[in-house]
Amino acid sequence: MDEENSPLVKAEPGDDFDQQSDETESCIKDMLQEMQSKERGKRPQAATIAPATAVLEQSTPQEHDENSFYNVHSDKPQSLKMCTGELDIVLEPKLAGPVYNAANLSLDRALLNRADMWHQVIVHHGNGCTRQKILEALFGSYSYCDFFPVAYRRHANADFFLLRMCSQVLLKMFEEGLQLKAGSMALPISVRLGAARFHTGQIFPRQTITKAVQERCDNAAQYGDIAVLNLDSFAEHASLRELCVYLGNRAQFEVVCSAIAQAMDGNACISRLRLANNDISHMSLLAALKNTKLISLDLRGNRIKHPSSLRLLKDIPLVELYVEGNNLTDVPDYEKIIRSFFPNLLKLDSNLTQTVTTKAVRDDAEEEEEVEITSPGTVITEADLNPGAFQKYNITPHWHKVTVHHNGVCNKQDILDGLFHLLGKHAFYPCYYKTYSKQDEFLVQNCFDALLFLVKQKLKLPIPAHNTVLKLALAMNVAEASDADVQPLRKLERFVNKRFKLGCLDLCSMQDELNECKVVDFCAKSPSTLAYVLEFAARKYGNSCLVLRLRNNGLRNCAALESLSKFYKLVSLDLRYNALSKISDLQGVPWNNITELFLDNNPLCGTMRSSVEYVRKVRQYFGMLQQLDGRTLLGNFTYCQNYLCTPEAYKFAESFVKHYFALFDSFQRGDLQELYHPKAQFSMTCDFDIEQSGQQLDAQLDRQASYAQHSRNLLQFKDSLDRAVSKLIVGNERIGYVLTSFPKTEFDFYSFRIDVPVFTPERVMITVHGRMHEDEVSALGHVSYIGFTRTWYLQPCGMGTNLFHDAIEYKIHNDMLHMYSMTQEGNDAFGRRNEATPVAENGMDTSMQCDDNDRENAMIVFKELTQLNRAWCKRCLEESSWNLKVALNIFLKLYESKRIPKIAFKDDIP
């Protein structure tokens, strides 16, 4: 460079160049000072003040050299330089308290809680554990506590860091014996309380994190997009080098979320947030952004376990959401679950989605908030299974977590069935159930008795469906309860309110509707659940409930029916289609006013030897009973019962009888002749009183006469045996002709009593007692019943593939039929209960026509309100198309006009 052109050439006095030279030298001095300042920030400060050139040339070793050996018991002061520009922190061992370790755990709590002191935590690793593993172990152990490690320094034998205002973490360290579990290793910890004094200007973790978030917001364009607040891998921010940042820690993430809300409130451009790769797991804290204009959220590469935890963000109007790289993607149908929380979501990860139409939420069914676990809780291990020590959790209102380790062997339903079977007598309502590949977990509250029972069972859960036993784990007090949490008992109360209609509490098939309840799982056949349902119903509807239906609930006993004594007006109880296997299962039923009971289609019905025994045993529990299974107890009561010589005959007899009478009732009655041997014999007798002198036979008697023409009652033909022989019908074709000539009938299968006195490979004898009615007579409104006894004698004739599949084919060789008149038992007694009656729809309008079960209830309610007898009740209901409201209006008009005779109010004559 030419000397005269150089700006450093000294000019002569008075030259115009003097002013420019002074300004240049000033700029150079400023630049040198700035460079020296930056260099001092990068290097430790020298012990004595030296010229700038000396500072640049001197190579001072760093105090936290990773290859150096750290002397825990050294008394020398140590100055920790903050590379991020804050004031140094000077460790003063002489002024600090003693060094605590596993041999000395009696800490000074007063010194621990001082806010003007830094406390030093030293992790001894002996160069056998990396810094990353130590930090992962620390944050994993204290993820729910205020934990802000400052000035982390690495040495060959030990690492240390400083804490301030983190007393909860330090107390837990002492409670755990000053040991840190890092994988399979247990690293010893030393703690020096009051190791340094805190001064204004030193690092303040919460403020440092807030400034880092604000810096990303102010310079959004430099980090990718002016509309995006990019906090991807936030711990790597340059200003956080002296602070160990881990957003999986609840306290740290809370600071970040608060700073995000503050930054977005001051920057109108920001509408998207990127929080990828931050180990985030606490979703509830992001709810602080619900009042912002956030439309896009990136949560990829974090530690969100289950999609249901995103329910806490449902108030944020998200249009885009990214969740790849989280454990929640392993949950089946996770996309469907997430979309249910965000109805306006257009994009989920790389998939475009359709807008979900939201349903209006009723006032009585608000959607509950997800419970956020705020503490690891107290873990109950096998060593802590002491029922006496467990009593301390008896009064706590907190949520407790139950973990079921199944290793993929069982599904959710198997686990719930096992739990409810084991804990049926105790109140137990699993909430917020989450399914994973190796384990499932859920929360419970106010279920101390159930949890105590599990503790007494050594936390073992038998699963009968898979013949295995699963291990359970309890974590007590993992979250505080709030009014926004799910209330299982309130859900049951709303369920009862929906099921009560016009004096009838319809609790049929409860499980189907209870399965629709979100957040909480119920078991309808659990005695504790059913007991609460009936207790609440008794309190609210005990003075107005006339009919109680409990069909199709899988009830094994009646232990939960003790509240029946509080249903003061209950007259009808329906227990059909349950699992009551013996008469003693009715124990638990209190004294009651029930006059009508339905027990058919329970296994216990097949254990009675006679109808008399059946009635006698049932009346021990229902003393005021008048009708059982739709039939009056007075008069000619019939009961379905099989009398078999051997259990092997049951299936054969049932199949044959059902097939034979099904053909007899159908338009294919002519096919019956194929069941008879070509030389089979058929004879019938009847006992009808058709002698009516001076009177014309009515239609029913005329039809009975059609049977009488084939009757061969030997007592009537004692003087003419040839005539009796002629009445014997021989041959399957003649038998088929006679059977098809009989009127069209309908048999009451529920009245059948079957006897199989002979059942051998060579011969079978089957006898059936029952009743039937004729369709044409019924169509005229005059229903009367005909009783019959039929005996078949069958023999094998080869192999068949029809009725008996690939088995021996049997033919009827002899058929004897006897028919007789029956006393009327009431039109409603005739069965049509072959198939399960569907449950009436909730909230059904009264103008809709009732089905068979609704008619039963309408009859009972109308009879109770009007005091009319059954015949008049039926007349009024039929004239109003079984509309109860219309029938009541008709009754009131007739009563006011005095058009109802007194006989209508007299009790029914059996």
Side-chain angles (χ1 to χ4, degrees), residues 52-66:
T53 56
V55 174
L56 290 174
E57 294 175 359
Q58 185 178 359
S59 178
T60 305
Q62 295 182 351
E63 295 185 12
H64 58 280
D65 183 4
E66 293 187 3

Side-chain angles (χ1 to χ4, degrees), residues 308-426:
S308 62
S309 59
L310 295 175
R311 182 200 306 270
L312 301 165
L313 311 183
K314 62 184 178 63
D315 293 329
I316 303 177
L318 292 179
V319 176
E320 293 180 350
L321 179 62
Y322 302 90
V323 295
E324 289 179 341
N326 287 277
N327 292 335
L328 66 84
T329 57
D330 296 331
V331 177
D333 297 328
Y334 79 93
E335 294 179 343
K336 181 179 179 181
I337 297 173
I338 291 175
R339 291 190 187 104
S340 67
F341 304 147
F342 305 101
N344 299 321
L345 198 65
L346 298 179
K347 188 176 182 181
L348 178 58
D349 290 327
S350 60
N351 301 321
L352 296 179
T353 182
Q354 297 179 352
T355 302
V356 179
T357 304
T358 57
K359 296 182 179 179
V361 180
R362 299 187 300 272
D363 293 338
D364 60 343
E366 301 88 0
E367 193 169 347
E368 299 83 0
E369 296 290 345
E370 183 81 7
V371 169
E372 177 76 3
I373 296 178
T374 58
S375 169
T378 303
V379 178
I380 307 298
T381 63
E382 294 184 2
D384 302 325
L385 299 181
N386 183 352
F390 194 75
Q391 292 290 335
K392 62 184 177 181
Y393 301 106
N394 192 2
I395 308 179
T396 174
H398 293 69
W399 287 99
H400 315 298
K401 184 172 73 172
V402 180
T403 303
V404 184
H405 300 278
H406 55 74
N407 200 29
V409 175
C410 305
N411 57 30
K412 174 182 177 180
Q413 192 58 50
D414 295 332
I415 293 171
L416 289 176
D417 289 343
L419 285 168
F420 287 124
H421 179 73
L422 184 65
L423 304 171
K425 297 180 181 180
H426 305 287

Side-chain angles (χ1 to χ4, degrees), residues 1-205:
M1 182 180 291
D2 212 357
E3 187 172 305
E4 61 182 5
N5 295 328
S6 174
L8 299 181
V9 175
K10 191 173 182 180
E12 295 294 331
D15 196 343
D16 294 335
F17 191 70
D18 289 345
Q19 183 177 359
Q20 181 180 357
S21 178
D22 293 338
E23 292 177 356
T24 303
E25 290 181 2
S26 177
C27 290
I28 292 174
K29 290 180 181 179
D30 292 341
M31 291 174 62
L32 287 174
Q33 290 177 0
E34 184 177 355
M35 291 174 62
Q36 293 170 3
S37 176
K38 289 182 179 181
E39 189 67 24
R40 284 195 301 270
K42 295 179 180 179
R43 297 188 179 188
Q45 185 176 355
T48 58
I49 300 176
T53 56
V55 174
L56 290 174
E57 294 175 359
Q58 185 178 359
S59 178
T60 305
Q62 295 182 351
E63 295 185 12
H64 58 280
D65 183 4
E66 293 187 3
N67 297 320
S68 63
F69 183 86
Y70 184 71
N71 185 3
V72 178
H73 301 289
S74 173
D75 293 335
K76 295 181 180 180
Q78 184 179 7
S79 181
L80 303 180
K81 306 297 181 179
M82 297 292 105
C83 65
T84 49
E86 296 88 356
L87 288 181
D88 299 343
I89 300 177
V90 181
L91 297 179
E92 301 179 88
K94 290 184 178 181
L95 302 180
V99 177
Y100 296 96
N101 51 41
N104 179 20
L105 298 176
S106 302
L107 75 162
D108 185 350
R109 291 182 178 269
L111 183 59
L112 173 70
N113 294 321
R114 288 183 58 173
D116 62 337
M117 288 291 184
W118 291 99
H119 309 301
Q120 185 182 21
V121 178
I122 307 162
V123 181
H124 304 271
H125 54 75
N127 206 22
C129 190
T130 64
R131 167 179 171 163
Q132 184 64 26
K133 288 186 178 181
I134 292 175
L135 286 175
E136 288 179 358
L138 286 167
F139 281 109
S141 301
Y142 314 116
S143 60
Y144 296 96
C145 307
D146 289 356
F147 188 41
F148 298 89
V150 168
Y152 192 101
R153 298 293 185 262
R154 175 78 177 178
H155 292 275
N157 64 319
D159 291 6
F160 71 81
F161 55 88
L162 304 181
L163 294 177
R164 190 176 73 88
M165 300 176 65
C166 296
S167 58
Q168 188 178 3
V169 169
L170 292 170
L171 285 173
K172 285 196 172 187
M173 288 182 179
F174 277 87
E175 290 175 359
E176 294 171 359
L178 290 180
Q179 281 193 341
L180 175 66
K181 293 182 179 180
S184 59
M185 296 183 294
L187 304 179
I189 296 177
S190 298
V191 175
R192 180 183 280 122
L193 299 181
R197 292 185 178 276
F198 173 76
H199 298 284
T200 304
Q202 292 178 348
I203 187 171
F204 191 85

